[in-house]
Amino acid sequence: MTALEIGIASFPVLMLLIFLRVPIGLSMFLVGLGGLIWVTDGTQVAFGRLKSETYTTFSSYSLTIVPMFLLMGHFATLGGMSTALFKAAEGFLGHRKGGVAMAAIGACAGFGAICGSSLATAATMGRVALPELKQYGYAGGFSTATLAAGGTLGILIPPSVVLVIYAILTEQNIAKLFLSAFIPGLLAALGYVIAISVYVRLFPESAGTRPPVPMRDRFAALFHVWPVLLVFGLVVGGIYLGWFTPTEGAAVGAFGTGFIAWTNGGLNRETLADSFLVTARSTAMIFFIVLGAGFYNGFLALTKVPQELADLVVSQGFSPWMVLALILAFYLVFGCLMDSLSMILLTIPIFFPVISALDFGLLSLPAMQADAAMEVLKAGVPEGMGAEMLASIQDAIATGAELTREQMKELGIRVTEGRVNRIEAEYVAIWFGVLVLIVVEVGLITPPVGMNLFIINAMDRKTRMIDTYKAVMFFVASDIIRVIILVAFPVITLLPLMLMQ
């Protein structure tokens, strides 16, 4: 067998190990190590990579952000922030039809801004909101479906551990990825609220009502949310204002949530030790998956599978949008079978070269030149520019033609095709990363194997899983509509980056 054939044959072997319930990190590690030994016809290269890959993986400064964000989520739970968020949202929305469920979605979005994990958000908010939903007469399936869907907001609204891993894999800027995920995250929360509104109108008996809360009590509950706003504003705002790097921001956030938890009485010597232990276990699991993926992806790179796949797709002349749709459909299906981090680590090194080789036309040279020229002209016509040159520049802007070197020199700008290509490559990478994150998260609530569904249903044994399946399809429909919108209008995702240019 050739190296390429060995690389292709490794996929069914890997899938078999995963379906046999071998941990995915170990599966990728074993297949990668075995594949290296087979391709190189010996153990020297494989064992040499074992030493180098382990060191380079665990000595990566960027990965230190992972335990910091995980610890921040644990401290936030101990500090009662999840309860404060839910009570504040419930005070303003709870008296409406389906309002308690909407409040749960709002609280999940707020908690996701300081947690970064879907499963942790679902489990935490399930403990807080499920009793309230039951108390006010919400149907079991509707309640569990709402909280399972709300949990997916934990990984999309920044900060996000999975986005950090994606940024490392594709060598993208973490802060820019966080910024680009913000609007899609808000759209997700809004879409879920609309889904709840539609559901309670179609099935009025599925949601009870609760008495309105006096306005004074609403604002009192809102006051208790200030720690969340403070931590989120300090971490995210500090990163974008350049006060500190994303890793330093995560450390500041962990310290801030820990201090708040301590002042609220939730953090003591015992709970601090438990938080460190849980964070260490979660970090070890994530790091081992990263190590296994590194081995497997190194083996694939040696067999040239990603490069050959990219060349094949480009040579077939498929539409970039068709290729993107097929990749997203793949993630949607397989996201039901494995967690988001594993899916991204396993597939991004294969799919990302394919996407990078396609032209989506997100930017054009004349458009960028026109934008730069208009910025200059807004400040006034440059000194020494003749009327004829000004007229030719205005004509080029109006007709969408490229500016000549002489025109750009007169304007004092430099917008070349190489610069446009670099910016577009970054835009495509960030846009694709947000889309992948969304569709993988949809898999967490897609029957029959959505992981969030099982986590929430385990908290409510009296609710049948089939009832949760029926209700959650409204949220899945909302997610699919959102994905279609974000694919059709990339500017929604990329707008914050464009404003920063």
Side-chain angles (χ1 to χ4, degrees), residues 169-186:
L169 286 175
T170 58
E171 299 181 349
Q172 299 302 312
N173 184 285
I174 295 174
K176 290 182 178 180
L177 269 167
F178 282 178
L179 189 63
S180 298
F182 192 71
I183 294 178
L186 294 180

Side-chain angles (χ1 to χ4, degrees), residues 407-452:
Q407 289 171 333
M408 286 194 290
K409 185 176 180 180
E410 287 286 338
L411 290 165
I413 63 174
R414 180 175 173 81
V415 182
T416 63
E417 188 170 356
R419 182 188 174 196
V420 172
N421 291 338
R422 286 193 299 273
I423 295 175
E424 182 171 19
E426 180 183 52
Y427 281 1
V428 169
I430 290 175
W431 174 54
F432 179 64
V434 173
L435 288 175
V436 167
L437 188 66
I438 292 171
V439 292
V440 168
E441 288 304 299
V442 176
L444 288 176
I445 59 171
T446 303
V449 202
M451 292 177 64
N452 275 18

Side-chain angles (χ1 to χ4, degrees), residues 281-349:
R281 286 174 177 168
S282 301
T283 303
M285 178 192 69
I286 292 173
F287 278 21
F288 188 73
I289 294 175
V290 172
L291 176 64
F295 254 88
Y296 185 62
N297 295 331
F299 156 66
L300 289 181
L302 186 63
T303 62
K304 298 184 186 288
V305 169
Q307 298 92 321
E308 292 292 335
L309 180 61
D311 292 341
L312 176 64
V313 171
V314 172
S315 64
Q316 294 299 314
F318 294 130
S319 163
W321 302 97
M322 179 185 295
V323 176
L324 177 63
L326 291 174
I327 290 175
L328 294 180
F330 171 87
Y331 278 116
L332 194 61
V333 173
F334 277 83
C336 303
L337 306 177
M338 59 181 76
D339 65 278
S340 53
L341 178 61
S342 302
M343 275 291 293
I344 285 176
L345 282 167
L346 176 62
T347 59
I348 287 300

Side-chain angles (χ1 to χ4, degrees), residues 385-394 404 406-408 410:
M385 180 182 291
E388 185 178 347
M389 175 62 71
L390 176 62
S392 68
I393 292 173
Q394 291 174 333
T404 64
E406 291 75 15
Q407 289 171 333
M408 286 194 290
E410 287 286 338

Side-chain angles (χ1 to χ4, degrees), residues 120-135:
T121 300
T124 301
M125 295 311 305
R127 287 191 293 269
V128 172
L130 194 57
E132 291 280 318
L133 290 165
K134 290 291 188 178
Q135 179 182 346

Side-chain angles (χ1 to χ4, degrees), residues 18 22-30 285 288-293 342:
I18 292 172
V22 177
I24 188 166
L26 182 60
S27 299
M28 289 190 288
F29 176 78
L30 292 176
M285 178 192 69
F288 188 73
I289 294 175
V290 172
L291 176 64
S342 302

